[in-house]
Amino acid sequence: MSFQGGEHAAGQVTESVAEAVAALRPGTTKDWAGTTARGLTWSCRATAEHIASDLIAYAGQLAGRAQDAYVPFQITIDGTEGGLDPADNAGTLQVIETTGALLAAAVRTAPRAARAFHPYPFRGAGREGFAAMGVAEVLLHTHDLTEALGLAYEPSPAHAEFVLRTIFPHIQPDADPWRTLLWATGRGELPGRAPVTEWRWNNNLVLPAGRLVLEGLTPAAATDLTAGGDGGFRWIEGGPMDGTRVAAGLLLKAYIEGVLRPQFGVFVLVRAEDDLAVGGIGFHSAPDEDGRVEIGYDLVESARGQGYATEALRALADWALARDDVRSLFATVEPDNAPSQAVLTRAGFQRVSTDPGPSHGQGAGADDGHGHGDTDELYAYELLPTTR
């Protein structure tokens, strides 16, 4: 799939709404108020109104940059001429079209770094996240409606793939994105996978780090970086480094294999002052059974020597060691990479050994990317909660 930031995400909203309205329009003469939507306790009318309500709510969050809670407003669907009687089914579809257009406009015009409150799971979402949540509401509840009303509906696989790769990074992809999304939300079955009874989507983790912001990569962004794109970020000259692309490829591999824990993935280092990406940092995997996890990082050459790697490493280490499932962090570095060794030391890591064994991918290397060059000898550095 192509990755074009806000314009692409806005297009996903517009197209998914158009497909949904086209599928529902032949059923506007049916009794929506008296028919229960498939798998829900709501009537079809209430479900359609819920779609519109979510679309306008997400548009309001993003446009208003609400940070602590939902903006306190709700939508009321009146009669077609402003009377007190509810609009007919066709009028309700018009409201869905309108609120979809508002969300698409909010996504299209929001700055790349804009974020607003959403409770799951890290109390925030960006423009792609709000777009994906809106598309998910449209796809899933249109399915609930058409199943109850006896209408045909098969959305474009690209819309389901956009949702999965943006807000379901913990779900292993399948050859059929639409069936995968239905299964992941308790609406269908997939061969070899247990039924889903509880689910939530997963927006990316974003961490403040002094002069930087650490933005977690989604599988959608990692796909683009691995293919040679920018991942939706604006990079300083020379970026992204090969190490960041390699790390993005490892994240994508874990996603495809169904073992990705998104919060232990890859983060792009973005300068808060100008929204330019200057490097990458991340984990090689989730913590092992002993709570040990390896960390690596790199910087674009023109961003080195300014303390960015130290700030990013401290912030990510603080976040990780505050968790119950992390007991120690470690990093490996070449003996001749003195700048990276200095970064680790300033961040509180202590050298514990040489030649600790094979690394699992990128190593710590603020001045030479994530690779290890031609040497097999590596220094190992460790950080424990007691040494912070």
Side-chain angles (χ1 to χ4, degrees):
M1 64 179 279
S2 62
F3 190 84
Q4 301 169 13
E7 189 64 38
H8 173 70
Q12 291 287 321
V13 174
T14 300
E15 294 164 13
S16 63
V17 168
E19 288 183 359
V21 170
L24 290 168
R25 185 163 283 127
T28 53
T29 59
K30 297 178 180 288
D31 181 12
W32 288 18
T35 304
T36 302
R38 175 72 175 272
L40 304 176
T41 58
W42 303 332
S43 70
C44 288
R45 171 65 67 79
T47 302
E49 292 179 353
H50 174 79
I51 295 173
S53 180
D54 277 345
L55 292 172
I56 192 64
Y58 294 154
Q61 290 299 99
L62 188 57
R65 310 286 196 274
Q67 296 300 307
D68 300 318
Y70 281 111
V71 178
F73 76 97
Q74 63 182 19
I75 187 172
T76 300
I77 301 179
D78 291 331
T80 56
E81 297 181 359
L84 297 178
D85 294 332
D88 58 15
N89 296 333
T92 302
L93 289 185
Q94 186 179 24
V95 176
I96 291 175
E97 289 180 302
T98 301
T99 53
L102 290 172
L103 176 57
V107 170
R108 184 175 290 110
T109 57
R112 192 212 64 81
R115 292 186 71 82
F117 172 83
H118 187 275
Y120 305 127
F122 304 116
R123 298 183 65 81
R127 60 187 186 183
E128 286 83 8
F130 278 111
M133 290 187 288
V135 172
E137 296 286 353
V138 170
L139 298 184
L140 297 171
H141 289 314
T142 300
H143 165 80
D144 301 336
L145 289 167
T146 53
E147 287 287 302
L149 296 171
L151 303 171
Y153 178 59
E154 186 76 20
S156 168
H159 304 327
E161 184 179 20
F162 170 69
V163 170
L164 290 168
R165 288 181 177 246
T166 305
I167 57 174
F168 284 88
H170 52 295
I171 295 298
Q172 184 177 19
D174 187 78
D176 189 332
W178 175 228
R179 302 302 161 196
T180 303
L181 182 60
L182 290 176
W183 167 80
T185 57
R187 289 170 167 83
E189 298 179 353
L190 277 183
R193 303 199 195 186
V196 173
T197 57
E198 294 183 2
W199 61 274
R200 283 179 177 172
W201 42 57
N202 194 314
N203 281 291
N204 64 325
L205 175 62
V206 174
L207 297 172
R211 295 169 296 166
L212 302 173
V213 177
L214 276 54
E215 297 192 22
L217 279 185
T218 65
T223 299
D224 187 67
L225 275 171
T226 304
D230 58 17
F233 297 87
R234 296 188 305 120
W235 291 83
I236 61 172
E237 184 177 356
M241 295 287 290
D242 287 344
T244 299
R245 296 194 188 280
V246 169
L250 294 174
L251 183 152
L252 187 59
K253 180 175 183 289
Y255 168 68
I256 292 172
E257 294 176 351
V259 296
L260 176 63
R261 287 179 62 186
Q263 64 269 41
F264 288 102
V266 181
F267 298 79
V268 171
L269 280 54
V270 180
R271 257 186 341 215
E273 65 177 358
D274 56 12
D275 195 42
L276 292 178
V278 299
I281 191 169
F283 304 98
H284 291 193
S285 65
D288 64 19
E289 60 184 11
D290 296 320
R292 196 163 181 256
V293 59
E294 185 174 2
I295 197 168
Y297 51 87
D298 69 0
L299 286 178
V300 179
E301 289 188 23
S302 59
R304 295 172 186 170
Q306 301 176 55
Y308 291 138
T310 301
E311 290 182 24
L313 185 56
R314 284 173 176 164
L316 196 56
D318 286 345
W319 174 85
L321 291 175
R323 295 175 57 93
D324 293 336
D325 55 352
V326 177
R327 295 186 178 88
S328 68
L329 301 175
F330 77 98
T332 56
V333 63
E334 297 89 342
D336 61 353
N337 192 344
S340 189
Q341 293 175 44
V343 167
L344 290 166
T345 300
R346 286 194 296 270
F349 284 71
Q350 297 181 358
R351 182 174 156 187
V352 294
S353 71
T354 59
D355 194 19
S359 179
H360 303 295
Q362 76 271 28
D367 278 63
D368 65 353
H370 286 71
H372 295 309
D374 297 325
T375 178
D376 291 329
E377 183 183 13
L378 299 170
Y379 290 162
Y381 285 74
E382 187 173 39
L383 180 64
L384 302 170
T386 55
T387 60
R388 287 298 285 155

